[in-house]
Amino acid sequence: MGREFVEIFDDWVHTYDDSVNGKDEEYKDVFFNYNEILQAVADAATSPVVEFGIGTGNLAEKLLKRDLAVVGVEPNQAMRKVTAQKLPNLEVVDGDFLEFETASSPTSFVSSYAFHHLTDAEKAQAFQLYAKKLPAGGKVIFADTVFDSEQSKKKMIEFEQARGHVNLVEDLNREHYTTVPKIEELITQAGLAVKLSKMNTYVYLIEATKQ
């Protein structure tokens, strides 16, 4: 359920905001147009909304500016602490994409740069779960790295390796980045309508709507 990656963020929590704001050359392409990507997620959300992998609260901040009722779900204690300092009035609970408890019934599930912590099998479970919990018209809106094909993923890893981006290559090899055909398959199998929009070289905006 992505929990095997939780401890990575004990260290990254201190530099995460610098990375997403373009100060880390190695991850610059991954986070290109970061604020616009988060805004696209926030603009598509409806209240009440559950955000998975809330991290340092950057997406939550945009959701709250739209006056949406937000509950954050975050498995990393260090990240929860940072978000509590930044957004003290936001409810943030310990949980993950598959195991979470909220008092309200969400009409939106959102996330940014986190869904790749799940295997494809776990992603399938997640979409099935969200389809059950959402009302008609409810949405799953995720922004995440998705590759056009396995071949394009391989080429990108080779490209980043040639650039000497050791940490990024390690991430791409270790975590569960999927492909456009696979994510479309998983969403439609859950009975949701799917729309994908490419946001930068790495990231797609994934919108899944319950009919």
Side-chain angles (χ1 to χ4, degrees):
M1 289 171 287
R3 290 272 179 165
E4 67 268 32
F5 300 109
V6 168
E7 292 181 2
I8 293 172
F9 292 92
D10 289 342
D11 295 323
W12 206 13
V13 66
H14 305 293
T15 59
Y16 185 78
D17 282 345
D18 283 343
S19 294
V20 300
N21 287 308
K23 295 181 181 178
D24 185 339
E25 189 65 33
E26 191 166 355
Y27 287 87
K28 212 164 194 175
D29 289 346
V30 178
F31 293 112
F32 183 72
N33 281 340
Y34 177 72
N35 283 303
E36 290 81 358
I37 290 168
L38 296 196
Q39 193 63 57
V41 176
D43 287 346
T46 57
S47 190
V49 54
V50 170
E51 181 189 350
F52 297 110
I54 200 165
T56 57
N58 297 325
L59 174 56
E61 199 166 22
K62 293 183 183 299
L63 293 165
L64 291 171
K65 282 181 179 177
R66 290 196 55 226
D67 293 325
L68 302 179
V70 183
V71 175
V73 177
E74 173 56 58
N76 182 274
Q77 185 177 10
M79 288 289 194
R80 291 199 303 272
K81 186 176 180 181
V82 169
T83 302
Q85 292 170 344
K86 186 186 289 187
L87 302 169
N89 296 321
L90 176 67
E91 179 185 359
V92 182
V93 299
D94 183 6
D96 56 55
F97 284 99
L98 290 173
E99 294 186 358
F100 59 95
E101 295 290 338
T102 62
S104 60
S105 298
T107 62
S108 300
F109 291 109
V110 303
S111 182
S112 63
Y113 291 87
F115 200 47
H116 57 268
H117 296 318
L118 273 63
T119 65
D120 282 351
E122 289 168 341
K123 290 183 182 75
Q125 292 176 44
F127 283 121
Q128 295 283 346
L129 176 62
Y130 307 151
K132 290 178 182 177
K133 288 183 174 289
L134 286 171
K139 284 189 173 185
V140 181
I141 310 129
F142 289 168
D144 199 29
T145 292
V146 180
F147 291 96
D148 293 333
S149 65
E150 287 295 338
Q151 183 63 23
S152 66
K153 178 180 177 179
K154 182 181 177 183
K155 286 183 177 179
M156 187 58 75
I157 291 172
E158 291 172 349
F159 173 70
E160 296 294 2
Q161 202 160 19
R163 297 170 84 188
H165 292 169
V166 177
N167 293 321
L168 178 53
V169 169
E170 183 181 348
D171 289 343
L172 294 174
N173 280 317
R174 176 186 58 218
E175 302 189 26
H176 308 301
Y177 297 99
T178 195
T179 64
V180 168
K182 176 55 72 172
I183 203 77
E184 289 178 332
E185 175 189 331
L186 300 180
I187 292 170
T188 55
Q189 284 178 346
L192 305 171
V194 57
K195 176 186 174 184
L196 297 183
S197 306
K198 195 155 190 173
M199 305 299 288
N200 67 27
T201 303
Y202 280 92
V203 173
Y204 272 90
L205 181 67
I206 304 161
E207 296 183 72
T209 307
K210 185 169 180 178
Q211 303 303 291

